[in-house]
Amino acid sequence: MDVEQQIYSEEADEKLINGAFEELLNSYLASRHRKKVDLITKAFNFAKQAHKGVRRLSGEPYIIHPIAVAQIACAEIGLGSTSICAALLHDVVEDTDYTVEDISNIFGAKIAQIVDGLTKISGGIFGEQASAQAENFKKLLLTMSDDIRVILIKICDRLHNMRTLDSQPANKQYKIAGETLYIYAPLANRLGLNKVKSELENLSFKFEHPDDYASIEAKLQSTRASRDKLFSDFTEPIEDALKQMGIEYEIKERVKTPYSIWNKMQNKHVTFEEIYDILAVRIIFTPKVREEEVNECFKIYVAISKIYKSHPDRLRDWLSQPKANGYQALHVTLMSKQGRWIEVQIRSDRMNEIAEQGFAAHWKYKDGVDTEYTEDENELNEWLGTIKEILDDPQPDAMDFLDTIKLNLFASEIFVFTPKGEIRTLPTGCTALDFAFSIHTFLGSHCIGAKVNHKLVPLSHKLQSGDQVEILTSKSQHVKASWINFVSTAKAKAKIQAILRRDNREIQREGEEILNNFLEENGIEPSVSITDKLTELHGYNKPQELFLALGEKIVILGEKDLDHLSGKKEDDTGGWRKYIPFMGNKKPEEDEQPQSKQELFVVPEKFNRKKPIFISEENITQYKFPGCCHPIPGDDALGYINNKKQIEIHKRACPVAAKLKTSFGNKILDIKWDMHKVLYFEATIRLSGIDRVGMLNEITQVISSQMSVNIHKIIITCEDGIFDGSVELKVHDREDVKKIINNLKHIPDLKEISEIM
């Protein structure tokens, strides 16, 4: 690059950077926060100098990223100058020579604390050493307890990374998109950041399933005109009624996002055309008297239910008892004149702001305001307290922890009452034992039963919203291992496992003593290698498991153990299971296929993980296909380098793959299919409809005669004139499955057809 070009490039960069910063300042000046423009400008100039000369993968100057994160924090979440400065500085400590102390000296302790929190949690979740996401998730939550702004800025950071994900290689896209769906979107939802949550889900979906995303986008576009007409016809009489009531209002059209449409298509096994709640209507009003906004919601409901018939089972009242993330609204479903059920969401302007931005942005961290604790804030502090308690004694396995914490954070809630009438919020599906642990660990660990609505119930009884619960205890009661099977809250699971681990340590010590006594009695010196040999002999993975089995008298040491230690061959076949390979659902003759003969590909040391792997007829047997999701050619797939350095192939939407993307992002590979309809793969199609003579014959005619597809197995059951069944087929690829499903749709009385994934 000659001098002239360099000067031009620097001028273009300067213009881009200053334009982005000016936009940020305009957003801040338009907000309701105290105007600390000097502090923000100082943070911008400091960050700009610190990141000077560094560029992102997209080619733009690095400083554009912190400015964009600050813009999201300000304009989309409503945070103030402290958060904006922290966002501008969030990568300075990690990527440059500046320290947290430097930030503290220049910008004060509060901004430094937030930057420090962001620095601590960024390494694993965004970095290359990505095998510790779940561990970092713990750090993330711990840091939240100090200042919620850390997690809010982290979500802004992730949102901008997702918006600029195009510049990353495909394997990195799957890793980041997988993490986003698994951790960040639900976390944004739990913090009430509805718009952010929807965009994170959509962007993840777009990168993981580009064809499905494009298809749904195209269908939304093509049905837009009919949707607009339905909206205007439906809302016209509602607008007239609201005007007569003298209400200041705004009516908005809410269209389901591509991700939520796709999710429903997968879960309910329906097509795009069969989804009826793509359109919803939102009434946002400004109350005449702020204290009367809940009553005004109900007045609007009464008025519109005189125009349209409402669905009695679909009234959702989150006014008197808001969701745990602060969401308040009244949802009703009305029958339109076109015969379509349409959901109407009624909320005040304040409720709408909380629904869009999340109430986390509205409490004690408003710049310069020392307000008393609000009800909302107490609720969030209680939530953070629960997390802190779980983290004090976390489960050893990080992935288990992540799943447990997700259970507690992201489930929908029920409301139950104590005997004194106090309300407790718990996740849906929780039991009397969960309730006991939510009050106190002692109460949970000595619980023998409960009275629900004055009726005696067992510990495993599932609670419903509105139940009044009294816990019954006994000092002689102790925690049992079986309890883990019927609790669902993170707190109860964590406490039960902590108590069991403590008890198990006692039993393990006894078991170790039994082993040492046995060895000494037989003149053998105890050692690590001796213990390892016996652990392997009895089929355990760790010595601790053997000690536990000895302590619980599940394993009794004897002659067989001495023979094994002396090297004698065993005559008995007690351990046969260890030597027979697991064959899953294959028949023995199927196991003799080339897959067992051809060597599996082992990833070499210097392997380019950014390049896609092409799977063809020639090399397909070199890769492992675990039984969790059965990918076939044409599926959106990814590769995972396992501990043996072999490559496993998973569907990108597979639940196992979701965990792998989150925990082992640096081991994810991009997979492309290069197949030519030579090999056959199994696929299962589910069918249901109205039973009649000849139905089965027509189904087999379409599959076998018209399409020349081999039916492997067929199961049909009939009851009260309705049949339900499944057909296992041998197909070449996903395209074959789609063609079969489309052809089957022409059969009269066949009502539902979907693939079993």
Side-chain angles (χ1 to χ4, degrees), residues 319-330:
L319 295 172
S320 44
Q321 198 65 59
K323 287 186 181 182
N325 63 11
Y327 181 81
Q328 262 186 306
L330 185 64

Side-chain angles (χ1 to χ4, degrees), residues 688-704:
S688 65
I690 297 158
D691 188 27
R692 59 175 170 78
V693 175
M695 174 61 86
L696 186 56
N697 182 41
E698 285 181 46
I699 292 167
T700 53
Q701 279 290 320
V702 166
I703 297 171
S704 299

Side-chain angles (χ1 to χ4, degrees), residues 499-658:
I499 293 164
L500 289 173
R501 279 200 303 278
R502 196 177 62 217
D503 294 348
N504 284 349
R505 280 196 288 272
E506 276 299 314
I507 299 167
Q508 279 173 10
R509 273 197 287 274
E510 286 174 29
E512 196 171 358
E513 222 171 281
I514 290 167
L515 174 62
N516 290 338
N517 291 340
F518 171 78
L519 294 173
E520 281 168 23
E521 282 167 15
N522 289 282
I524 301 168
E525 185 70 32
S527 70
V528 172
S529 64
I530 294 283
T531 307
D532 287 345
K533 279 182 183 177
L534 291 174
T535 301
E536 190 185 355
L537 173 69
H538 289 282
Y540 295 107
N541 295 319
K542 297 175 186 172
Q544 288 81 359
E545 293 173 7
L546 175 66
F547 298 153
L548 190 63
L550 289 166
E552 290 179 334
K553 310 294 185 287
I554 294 168
V555 168
I556 308 292
L557 298 170
E559 286 298 318
K560 184 177 75 169
D561 301 277
L562 294 172
D563 288 346
H564 184 73
L565 293 174
S566 64
K568 284 186 187 176
K569 296 283 181 193
E570 295 175 62
D571 292 330
D572 68 301
T573 55
W576 66 271
R577 291 178 192 277
K578 293 204 285 285
Y579 309 107
I580 303 292
F582 176 67
M583 299 192 301
N585 295 323
K586 286 183 182 176
K587 292 179 183 174
E589 65 269 19
E590 287 181 309
D591 207 46
E592 300 304 316
Q593 289 178 352
Q595 184 143 5
S596 56
K597 292 174 186 173
Q598 191 169 348
E599 288 289 309
L600 286 168
F601 175 71
V602 176
V603 175
E605 203 59 47
K606 289 183 179 175
F607 182 71
N608 188 346
R609 300 184 182 198
K610 291 181 181 178
K611 270 190 171 180
I613 285 178
F614 288 86
I615 298 182
S616 64
E617 284 83 0
E618 287 72 36
N619 67 11
I620 192 166
T621 54
Q622 294 179 24
Y623 305 108
K624 293 191 83 171
F625 286 78
C628 47
C629 59
H630 302 292
I632 67 173
D635 282 331
D636 291 334
L638 56 77
Y640 163 66
I641 303 169
N642 67 18
N643 293 338
K644 293 180 181 174
K645 299 209 168 167
Q646 300 157 342
I647 296 175
E648 295 178 6
I649 311 298
H650 294 267
K651 287 182 184 176
R652 286 181 218 157
C654 164
V656 173

Side-chain angles (χ1 to χ4, degrees), residues 6 9-11 13-14 17 43-56 60-64 66 88 91-92 95-98:
Q6 190 174 345
S9 171
E10 284 173 5
E11 281 177 2
D13 283 354
E14 200 65 24
I17 293 165
F44 161 66
N45 288 326
F46 185 86
K48 183 181 167 188
Q49 190 58 40
H51 294 300
K52 193 172 184 176
V54 183
R55 293 187 177 275
R56 300 189 86 212
E60 65 186 12
Y62 192 88
I63 186 65
I64 291 292
L88 287 167
D91 279 333
V92 167
D95 295 344
T96 74
D97 294 332
Y98 288 105

Side-chain angles (χ1 to χ4, degrees), residues 487-505:
V487 291
S488 62
T489 57
K491 182 175 180 179
K493 275 182 188 284
K495 290 298 176 191
I496 291 167
Q497 287 178 330
I499 293 164
L500 289 173
R501 279 200 303 278
R502 196 177 62 217
D503 294 348
N504 284 349
R505 280 196 288 272

Side-chain angles (χ1 to χ4, degrees), residues 66 172 224 299 303-305 323 439 480 571 589 647 711:
K172 210 72 177 290
R224 186 174 176 175
K299 281 177 187 169
I304 61 176
S305 60
K323 287 186 181 182
I439 294 171
K480 295 180 177 63
D571 292 330
E589 65 269 19
I647 296 175
I711 295 177

